[in-house]
Amino acid sequence: MKTKKQLVDELKKEQILPQEELVELLSGWDHEEEEYLYQQARQVRESVYGKDVYLRGLIEFTNYCRNDCYYCGIRRSNAHAQRYRLTKDQILECCEQGYALGFRTFVLQGGEDGYFTDDKICSIVQEIKRRYPDCAVTLSIGEKSYDSYKAFFDAGADRYLLRHETANCEHYRMLHPRQLSLENRKQCLWNLKEIGYQVGCGMMVGSPGQKPEYLVEDLLFMHELKPHMIGIGPFIAHKDTPFAGQKSGTLDDTLHLLGILRLMFPHALIPATTALGTIHPSGREKGILAGANVVMPNLSPVEVRGKYLLYDGKICTGDEAAECRLCMQRRIEKTGYHVKVARGDYKQRLIL
C-alpha cells in the first residue's frame, strides 16, 4: 500500500488518482502527513497565484427562497426566518462602499426568489458594471434556465457559483426534496460553462449521510467539469431545519479536502469560507494555509446580516463592512500571504 506522502506526490503530478486511492486520501492522516499535504498545496497555489489572496465582497440581497432543502436555514418551510429583500439602490450602496474598501469583485448571493425576475437581475448587473467597469460580478442565485443564465451573462455577469452539494444521487435525495434533481443541478453547471462564465461548484463536508465514497464521486465529477472556482465548507446544522442537532463537519476533514482540491485543481479559485471560521476561530487562516486563495467578507447591511443564516452560529453578522475588510486583511497577513486588490480572475493554464 502506498503511503500518504506517495499519494500526495502522485496527485500533485497527475491531478487525479484511481478511485480507491482517493478514498484512502480522505481519512487516517497523522500530523506529519497533514503538514506535508498542506506544504505541497501551498507550493502548487503559489506557483500559479503567488502569495495573493483575493477579496470578494459578498452581498446577501434576499433570503426568500422557493426551495425547501433540508439543510438550509432560509428554506421555504422555515417560518422563523425573518425575510428581507434589498432594493437595487441598497445593493448599489453596498458596491459603492465595497469599491472604496478595495473590493473588485461583488458576489450577489440569495435564495431562489421569484421577485427578482431576470429583468431585475440584469438591470442590477448592468448598473454595477456601468459604475465599476474594472470589477467582476459573480452571481449565486441557484438553478435557472439556459436562457436566464445567458441573459445575465450578456448583461455583464462574469462568474456564477452553484454548489452541486453532492454528485451521488442517493445522497442528493437525502439532502433535497423530490422537486429538485441532481441531474438538473449538473446540467445547470454545464450550461454555465457553455455560455462562458467562470463557474464555481462545491459541497458541504460532513453533511448527513455523506460517505467517503460520495466525496470521491464529487472529486471525479469536478475533475470532469473542471470548474474555475470550488467552494467547500463544513456542514453546520440550523436549528429550524430537519437536520437540527446533527453533528457538524470537522475542521480537519475540510482542510484535508482543501489540500486535495488544490493539488487536483492548481488554477482554481478556492475560498476559505465563513463556515470554516465559524467552527474554529482560526479556520479561515488554516484554510489559506491548506491551499485556499480567496476570502469573502460581507458587504451586506448590518441590519440584515443576522437574517441570512444558512446555518447556526455564523460569524461576522454584527460587523460593519470596513471592520470585516480590515479584520480579514490582518488575519491574512498573519499567515504570510497578502490581500491583492484586483478582480482575481481564474488564471488559465499555461501551454508550454
Side-chain angles (χ1 to χ4, degrees), residues 167-216:
N168 177 273
C169 290
E170 180 183 345
H171 191 216
Y172 192 89
R173 189 52 52 224
M174 293 178 65
L175 302 177
H176 302 90
R178 299 226 165 256
Q179 296 91 331
L180 300 175
S181 75
L182 177 57
E183 181 182 18
N184 189 63
R185 195 79 166 181
K186 287 182 175 180
Q187 188 58 54
C188 285
L189 287 163
W190 288 114
N191 288 346
L192 289 161
K193 280 209 81 176
E194 181 182 321
I195 289 166
Y197 284 93
Q198 293 179 44
V199 177
C201 63
M203 62 281 185
M204 297 173 290
V205 181
S207 59
Q210 191 177 67
K211 301 175 183 178
E213 292 78 11
Y214 295 168
L215 283 171
V216 169

Side-chain angles (χ1 to χ4, degrees), residues 77-268:
S77 293
N78 182 8
H80 299 290
Q82 300 177 56
R83 305 293 178 177
Y84 73 91
R85 295 182 178 108
L86 299 185
T87 65
K88 180 179 178 180
D89 285 344
Q90 286 177 304
I91 293 168
L92 292 170
E93 286 172 15
C94 293
C95 293
E96 182 179 6
Q97 188 177 22
Y99 192 86
L101 291 169
F103 291 91
R104 295 298 179 265
T105 290
F106 302 117
V107 181
L108 303 184
Q109 179 173 296
E112 294 192 18
D113 181 357
Y115 170 83
F116 284 97
T117 61
D118 290 0
D119 286 345
K120 284 188 171 77
I121 295 294
C122 288
S123 174
I124 292 166
V125 171
Q126 286 169 339
E127 186 59 24
I128 293 172
K129 296 293 282 192
R130 187 189 71 80
R131 295 188 185 191
Y132 310 105
D134 57 332
C135 291
V137 173
T138 302
L139 297 177
S140 181
I141 51 177
E143 297 179 14
K144 305 286 184 181
S145 70
Y146 185 101
D147 288 344
S148 294
Y149 288 147
K150 183 70 165 59
F152 305 154
F153 186 77
D154 290 344
D158 303 275
R159 308 180 187 134
Y160 204 101
L161 303 176
L162 183 69
R163 284 192 178 187
H164 66 281
E165 298 302 0
T166 177
N168 177 273
C169 290
E170 180 183 345
H171 191 216
Y172 192 89
R173 189 52 52 224
M174 293 178 65
L175 302 177
H176 302 90
R178 299 226 165 256
Q179 296 91 331
L180 300 175
S181 75
L182 177 57
E183 181 182 18
N184 189 63
R185 195 79 166 181
K186 287 182 175 180
Q187 188 58 54
C188 285
L189 287 163
W190 288 114
N191 288 346
L192 289 161
K193 280 209 81 176
E194 181 182 321
I195 289 166
Y197 284 93
Q198 293 179 44
V199 177
C201 63
M203 62 281 185
M204 297 173 290
V205 181
S207 59
Q210 191 177 67
K211 301 175 183 178
E213 292 78 11
Y214 295 168
L215 283 171
V216 169
E217 288 186 58
D218 290 318
L219 295 176
L220 294 176
F221 168 64
M222 288 189 282
H223 180 70
E224 181 186 7
L225 180 68
K226 295 179 173 50
H228 308 91
M229 304 170 287
I230 303 171
I232 69 165
F235 165 77
I236 305 172
H238 190 289
K239 66 184 187 316
D240 296 320
T241 69
F243 292 150
Q246 294 270 3
K247 70 176 184 178
S248 296
T250 70
L251 176 72
D252 286 344
D253 285 347
T254 308
L255 294 177
H256 296 157
L257 201 54
L258 274 174
I260 290 166
L261 287 167
R262 176 52 69 196
L263 297 182
M264 289 182 67
F265 303 95
H267 296 251

